[in-house]
Amino acid sequence: MMTGRVPLTEERMHDYVAENTLRDIAFMMNRLNGGKRGLQEDYFLKAKDYFDDWADHIAVSEVTIDGDIASALVALGDPAQGTRRLTLTLVRKDGGWKSSRVNEAAAAN
């Protein structure tokens, strides 16, 4: 996004994102939402925009693996400025891990 590319239009997305997740995103992009067609925020960031410090400040928690499902907490941004916290779920597919779901994480106490 920071270089002006639209990741969802790139064929390589299939290398990193589960097929059913890409289908769900395509469905959401084509439905009416609030009178407009498409997503109202970036699926992977759970935000309408990004902050410049996110690219330089990415923290990933220890990854928890349960069979073919893995999860981690991802924090974007400088902690001194405030972070965007996301829960990332991955699925094991063809010997590798692919993004399956991204949700906003609960605020840290």
Side-chain angles (χ1 to χ4, degrees), residues 2-63:
M2 294 180 81
T3 61
R5 295 171 36 210
V6 181
L8 284 175
T9 63
E10 296 185 16
E11 190 61 35
R12 296 214 44 202
M13 287 296 289
H14 294 276
D15 294 342
Y16 306 105
V17 181
E19 194 64 37
N20 61 335
T21 303
L22 289 173
R23 257 192 318 273
D24 290 348
I25 293 169
F27 173 79
M28 289 184 282
M29 289 176 70
N30 287 314
R31 72 181 170 133
L32 287 176
N33 185 349
K36 296 181 180 177
R37 189 167 302 283
L39 296 170
Q40 300 301 306
E41 64 185 10
D42 180 89
Y43 176 82
F44 298 100
L45 298 176
K46 297 299 180 200
K48 291 184 179 190
D49 206 354
Y50 59 88
F51 292 99
D52 291 336
D53 71 326
W54 287 5
D56 295 323
H57 296 90
I58 301 170
V60 180
S61 71
E62 186 172 326
V63 177

Side-chain angles (χ1 to χ4, degrees), residues 2 42 44 55 66 69 71 79 90 92 108-109:
M2 294 180 81
D42 180 89
F44 298 100
D66 184 10
I69 306 289
S71 61
L90 303 131
R92 189 185 331 249
N109 292 332

